[in-house]
Amino acid sequence: MDKLRKMVEGEGNTFWSYLGCELVGADENEVCIALQAGPQHTNVMGIVHGGVLTSLMDQAMGMVAMGSRQMQSCVTTNLNVHFLSAMRQGALEVKARILHQAGRTITTEAEVRNGEGTLGCISTATFRVLHKQPSD
């Protein structure tokens, strides 16, 4: 958790901070992040934009993938999303877990729930662990 926390503390000008994410908890098998969804996160129908929800799940799954590999860099190679219930402004929580690891491939799953516990969407993703780059 400390390594993930240090990683996001330095994310001042990245998509993480642009979205307004907060790291709630983490270990090598699960990551929990939160977002206080505001008007900037909604679409013209007044619900949280699907791209925001997808980004949250991708972020959480990427973090758990990296955490499971001692912060080795990983990239998303496949992402599958199912939208189940409209999410509105307010507290959102994302939990991501490792499903499977083999070689340099990590399969994960995530879900987004609102403050009342309503399941808004679920996702699975596959990540590829990058080769370590030699030091310059």
Side-chain angles (χ1 to χ4, degrees):
M1 167 104 161
D2 288 337
K3 289 181 181 180
L4 285 173
R5 190 165 304 283
K6 285 181 184 178
M7 179 184 79
V8 298
E9 284 174 356
E11 299 293 313
N13 291 321
T14 64
F15 197 58
W16 168 268
S17 64
Y18 180 75
L19 277 175
C21 299
E22 174 191 349
L23 179 61
V24 175
D27 61 32
E28 64 277 357
N29 295 310
E30 185 173 277
V31 165
C32 182
I33 65 174
L35 174 73
Q36 187 64 34
Q40 72 275 21
H41 297 109
T42 62
N43 61 23
V44 297
M45 295 182 294
I47 59 176
V48 177
H49 191 283
V52 171
L53 298 170
T54 301
S55 293
L56 290 170
M57 291 186 291
D58 186 37
Q59 180 70 49
M61 291 185 289
M63 291 172 75
V64 77
M66 287 180 66
S68 74
R69 294 295 181 102
Q70 290 75 46
M71 303 307 292
Q72 195 171 354
S73 295
C74 302
V75 294
T76 310
T77 59
N78 183 37
L79 180 66
N80 187 8
V81 178
H82 295 272
F83 299 101
L84 305 171
S85 299
M87 297 283 98
R88 305 213 177 269
Q89 292 182 50
L92 298 177
E93 186 175 271
V94 184
K95 288 189 179 178
R97 293 168 286 287
I98 299 289
L99 291 177
H100 182 262
Q101 294 192 50
R104 291 178 36 217
T105 302
I106 304 169
T107 304
T108 60
E109 68 178 353
E111 62 179 36
V112 177
R113 292 184 183 269
N114 65 15
E116 289 79 44
T118 301
L119 182 61
C121 50
I122 59 173
S123 181
T124 56
T126 304
F127 291 84
R128 181 80 168 161
V129 179
L130 300 177
H131 289 294
K132 289 186 178 182
Q133 298 298 318
S135 300
D136 292 347

